[in-house]
Coordinates of all heavy atoms in Angstrom, one line a residue:
N1 N 52.1 93.4 48.7 CA 51.3 92.5 49.5 C 50.3 91.7 48.6 O 50.0 90.5 48.9 CB 50.5 93.3 50.5 CG 51.3 93.8 51.7 OD1 52.2 93.0 52.1 ND2 51.1 95.0 52.2
Q2 N 49.8 92.3 47.6 CA 49.0 91.6 46.6 C 49.8 90.5 46.0 O 49.3 89.3 45.9 CB 48.5 92.6 45.5 CG 47.6 92.0 44.5 CD 46.3 91.4 45.1 OE1 45.7 92.1 45.9 NE2 46.0 90.2 44.8
A3 N 51.0 90.8 45.6 CA 51.9 89.7 45.0 C 52.1 88.6 46.0 O 52.2 87.4 45.6 CB 53.2 90.4 44.6
L4 N 52.3 88.9 47.3 CA 52.5 87.9 48.3 C 51.3 86.9 48.4 O 51.5 85.7 48.4 CB 52.8 88.5 49.7 CG 52.9 87.6 50.9 CD1 54.0 86.6 50.7 CD2 53.1 88.3 52.2
E5 N 50.1 87.5 48.4 CA 48.9 86.7 48.5 C 48.8 85.8 47.3 O 48.5 84.6 47.4 CB 47.6 87.6 48.5 CG 47.3 88.1 49.9 CD 46.1 89.1 49.8 OE1 45.2 88.8 49.0 OE2 46.1 90.0 50.6
D6 N 49.1 86.3 46.1 CA 49.0 85.5 44.9 C 50.1 84.4 44.9 O 49.9 83.3 44.4 CB 49.1 86.4 43.6 CG 47.9 87.3 43.5 OD1 46.9 87.0 44.2 OD2 48.0 88.3 42.8
A7 N 51.3 84.8 45.4 CA 52.4 83.8 45.5 C 52.0 82.6 46.4 O 52.3 81.5 46.0 CB 53.7 84.5 46.0
L8 N 51.4 82.9 47.5 CA 51.0 81.8 48.4 C 50.0 81.0 47.8 O 49.9 79.7 48.0 CB 50.6 82.4 49.8 CG 51.7 83.1 50.6 CD1 51.1 83.8 51.8 CD2 52.8 82.1 51.0
A9 N 49.1 81.6 47.0 CA 48.0 80.8 46.3 C 48.7 79.8 45.3 O 48.3 78.7 45.2 CB 47.1 81.7 45.6
V10 N 49.7 80.3 44.6 CA 50.5 79.5 43.7 C 51.1 78.3 44.4 O 51.1 77.1 44.0 CB 51.5 80.3 42.9 CG1 52.4 79.3 42.0 CG2 50.9 81.4 42.1
L11 N 51.7 78.6 45.6 CA 52.4 77.6 46.4 C 51.3 76.5 46.7 O 51.6 75.3 46.6 CB 52.9 78.1 47.7 CG 54.3 78.7 47.7 CD1 54.7 79.1 49.2 CD2 55.3 77.8 47.2
D12 N 50.2 76.9 47.2 CA 49.1 75.9 47.5 C 48.8 75.0 46.3 O 48.5 73.8 46.5 CB 47.8 76.6 48.0 CG 48.0 77.1 49.4 OD1 48.6 76.4 50.2 OD2 47.4 78.1 49.8
K13 N 48.8 75.6 45.1 CA 48.4 74.9 43.9 C 49.4 73.8 43.6 O 49.1 72.7 43.1 CB 48.2 75.9 42.8 CG 47.2 75.5 41.8 CD 46.7 76.6 40.9 CE 47.8 76.9 39.8 NZ 47.4 78.0 38.9
I14 N 50.7 74.2 43.7 CA 51.7 73.2 43.2 C 52.2 72.3 44.3 O 53.0 71.4 44.1 CB 52.9 73.9 42.6 CG1 53.6 74.9 43.5 CG2 52.6 74.6 41.3 CD1 54.9 75.5 43.0
A15 N 51.7 72.5 45.6 CA 52.2 71.7 46.7 C 51.7 70.2 46.6 O 50.6 70.0 46.1 CB 51.7 72.2 48.0
V16 N 52.6 69.3 47.0 CA 52.3 67.9 46.9 C 52.3 67.3 48.3 O 53.2 67.6 49.1 CB 53.3 67.1 46.1 CG1 53.0 65.7 46.0 CG2 53.4 67.8 44.7
S17 N 51.3 66.5 48.7 CA 51.3 65.9 50.0 C 52.1 64.6 50.0 O 52.1 63.9 48.9 CB 49.9 65.6 50.5 OG 49.2 66.8 50.6
I18 N 52.7 64.2 51.1 CA 53.4 63.0 51.1 C 53.1 62.2 52.4 O 52.5 62.7 53.3 CB 55.0 63.2 51.1 CG1 55.4 64.2 52.2 CG2 55.4 63.7 49.8 CD1 56.7 63.9 52.7
D19 N 53.5 60.9 52.4 CA 53.3 60.1 53.5 C 54.5 60.2 54.5 O 55.6 59.9 54.1 CB 53.1 58.6 53.0 CG 53.0 57.7 54.2 OD1 52.7 58.1 55.3 OD2 53.2 56.4 54.0
V20 N 54.3 60.6 55.7 CA 55.4 60.8 56.6 C 56.0 59.5 57.1 O 57.2 59.5 57.4 CB 54.8 61.6 57.9 CG1 55.9 61.9 58.8 CG2 54.1 62.8 57.5
D21 N 55.3 58.4 57.0 CA 55.8 57.2 57.5 C 56.7 56.5 56.4 O 57.4 55.5 56.7 CB 54.7 56.2 57.9 CG 53.8 56.8 59.0 OD1 54.4 57.5 59.8 OD2 52.6 56.6 58.9
D22 N 56.8 57.0 55.2 CA 57.6 56.4 54.2 C 59.0 57.0 54.4 O 59.4 58.1 54.0 CB 57.1 56.8 52.8 CG 57.9 56.2 51.7 OD1 58.9 55.5 52.0 OD2 57.6 56.5 50.5
R23 N 59.9 56.1 54.9 CA 61.2 56.6 55.3 C 62.1 57.0 54.1 O 62.8 58.0 54.2 CB 61.9 55.5 56.1 CG 63.2 56.0 56.7 CD 63.9 55.0 57.6 NE 65.2 55.5 57.9 CZ 65.5 56.2 59.0 NH1 64.6 56.6 59.8 NH2 66.8 56.6 59.2
T24 N 62.0 56.3 53.0 CA 62.9 56.7 51.9 C 62.5 58.1 51.3 O 63.4 58.9 51.1 CB 62.7 55.7 50.7 OG1 61.5 54.9 50.9 CG2 63.9 54.7 50.6
T25 N 61.2 58.4 51.2 CA 60.8 59.7 50.8 C 61.3 60.8 51.7 O 61.9 61.8 51.3 CB 59.3 59.8 50.7 OG1 58.8 58.6 50.2 CG2 58.9 61.0 49.8
M26 N 61.1 60.5 53.0 CA 61.5 61.5 54.1 C 63.0 61.7 54.0 O 63.5 62.8 54.1 CB 61.1 61.0 55.5 CG 59.7 61.0 55.7 SD 59.0 62.6 56.0 CE 59.5 63.0 57.6
L27 N 63.8 60.6 53.8 CA 65.2 60.7 53.8 C 65.7 61.6 52.6 O 66.5 62.5 52.7 CB 65.9 59.3 53.6 CG 66.4 58.7 54.9 CD1 67.0 57.4 54.6 CD2 67.4 59.6 55.6
G28 N 65.0 61.3 51.4 CA 65.3 62.1 50.2 C 65.1 63.6 50.5 O 65.9 64.4 50.0
L29 N 64.0 63.9 51.2 CA 63.7 65.3 51.5 C 64.7 66.0 52.3 O 65.1 67.0 52.0 CB 62.3 65.3 52.3 CG 61.2 65.3 51.4 CD1 59.9 65.0 52.2 CD2 61.1 66.6 50.8
V30 N 65.0 65.3 53.4 CA 66.0 65.9 54.4 C 67.3 66.1 53.7 O 68.0 67.1 53.8 CB 66.1 65.1 55.6 CG1 67.1 65.7 56.6 CG2 64.8 64.9 56.3
K31 N 67.6 65.1 52.8 CA 68.9 65.1 52.1 C 69.0 66.3 51.2 O 70.0 67.0 51.0 CB 69.1 63.9 51.3 CG 70.0 62.9 51.9 CD 70.3 61.7 51.1 CE 71.3 62.0 50.0 NZ 71.6 60.8 49.2
T32 N 67.8 66.6 50.5 CA 67.8 67.8 49.6 C 68.1 69.0 50.3 O 68.8 69.9 49.9 CB 66.4 68.0 49.0 OG1 65.9 66.7 48.7 CG2 66.4 68.8 47.7
C33 N 67.4 69.1 51.5 CA 67.5 70.4 52.2 C 68.9 70.6 52.8 O 69.3 71.7 53.0 CB 66.5 70.4 53.4 SG 64.9 70.4 52.7
I34 N 69.6 69.5 53.1 CA 71.0 69.7 53.6 C 72.0 69.5 52.5 O 73.2 69.4 52.7 CB 71.3 68.9 54.8 CG1 71.1 67.4 54.5 CG2 70.5 69.3 56.0 CD1 71.9 66.5 55.5
G35 N 71.5 69.3 51.2 CA 72.4 69.1 50.1 C 73.3 70.3 49.9 O 74.4 70.2 49.3
T36 N 72.8 71.5 50.4 CA 73.5 72.7 50.1 C 74.6 72.9 51.2 O 75.3 73.8 51.2 CB 72.6 73.9 50.2 OG1 72.0 73.9 51.5 CG2 71.5 73.8 49.2
K37 N 74.6 72.0 52.2 CA 75.5 72.2 53.3 C 76.8 71.5 53.2 O 77.0 70.6 52.3 CB 74.8 71.7 54.6 CG 73.4 72.2 54.9 CD 73.5 73.7 55.3 CE 72.1 74.2 55.6 NZ 72.0 75.6 55.4
F38 N 77.7 71.8 54.1 CA 79.1 71.2 54.0 C 79.0 69.7 54.2 O 79.8 69.0 53.6 CB 79.9 71.9 55.2 CG 81.2 71.2 55.5 CD1 82.2 71.3 54.6 CD2 81.3 70.5 56.6 CE1 83.4 70.7 54.9 CE2 82.5 69.8 57.0 CZ 83.6 70.0 56.1
T39 N 78.1 69.2 55.0 CA 78.1 67.8 55.4 C 77.5 66.9 54.3 O 77.5 65.7 54.4 CB 77.4 67.5 56.7 OG1 76.1 68.2 56.6 CG2 78.1 67.9 57.9
S40 N 77.1 67.5 53.2 CA 76.4 66.7 52.2 C 77.4 65.7 51.6 O 77.0 64.7 51.0 CB 75.9 67.6 51.0 OG 77.0 68.4 50.5
Q41 N 78.7 65.9 51.8 CA 79.7 65.0 51.3 C 79.7 63.7 52.0 O 80.3 62.7 51.6 CB 81.1 65.6 51.3 CG 81.6 66.0 52.7 CD 82.7 67.0 52.7 OE1 82.8 67.8 51.8 NE2 83.6 67.0 53.6
F42 N 79.1 63.6 53.2 CA 79.0 62.4 54.0 C 77.8 61.6 53.7 O 77.4 60.8 54.5 CB 79.2 62.7 55.5 CG 80.4 63.4 55.8 CD1 80.4 64.8 56.2 CD2 81.6 62.8 55.7 CE1 81.5 65.4 56.5 CE2 82.8 63.5 56.0 CZ 82.8 64.8 56.4
G43 N 77.2 61.8 52.5 CA 76.0 61.0 52.1 C 74.8 61.1 53.1 O 74.5 62.2 53.5
N44 N 74.3 60.0 53.4 CA 73.0 60.0 54.1 C 73.2 60.2 55.6 O 72.2 60.2 56.4 CB 72.3 58.6 53.9 CG 71.9 58.5 52.5 OD1 71.9 59.4 51.7 ND2 71.4 57.3 52.1

């Protein structure tokens, strides 16, 4: 539990905020998260 608290603190430290209205950034993000999936071969 101590390790979990410290891990979440590290997450807060390295997290980066982004602009939700910037479509290219958002697309890049969603693409990364489904890059591990079967449909990643169909691009965007």
Side-chain angles (χ1 to χ4, degrees):
N1 284 326
Q2 182 58 49
L4 173 61
E5 276 176 36
D6 294 343
L8 292 175
V10 175
L11 273 188
D12 280 327
K13 210 164 77 183
I14 58 171
V16 180
S17 293
I18 54 148
D19 175 20
V20 185
D21 300 325
D22 179 3
R23 190 174 168 92
T24 19
T25 319
M26 290 288 283
L27 262 180
L29 271 169
V30 178
K31 260 184 77 180
T32 320
C33 297
I34 58 160
T36 62
K37 308 284 181 210
F38 167 73
T39 46
S40 56
Q41 61 199 32
F42 300 109
N44 294 350

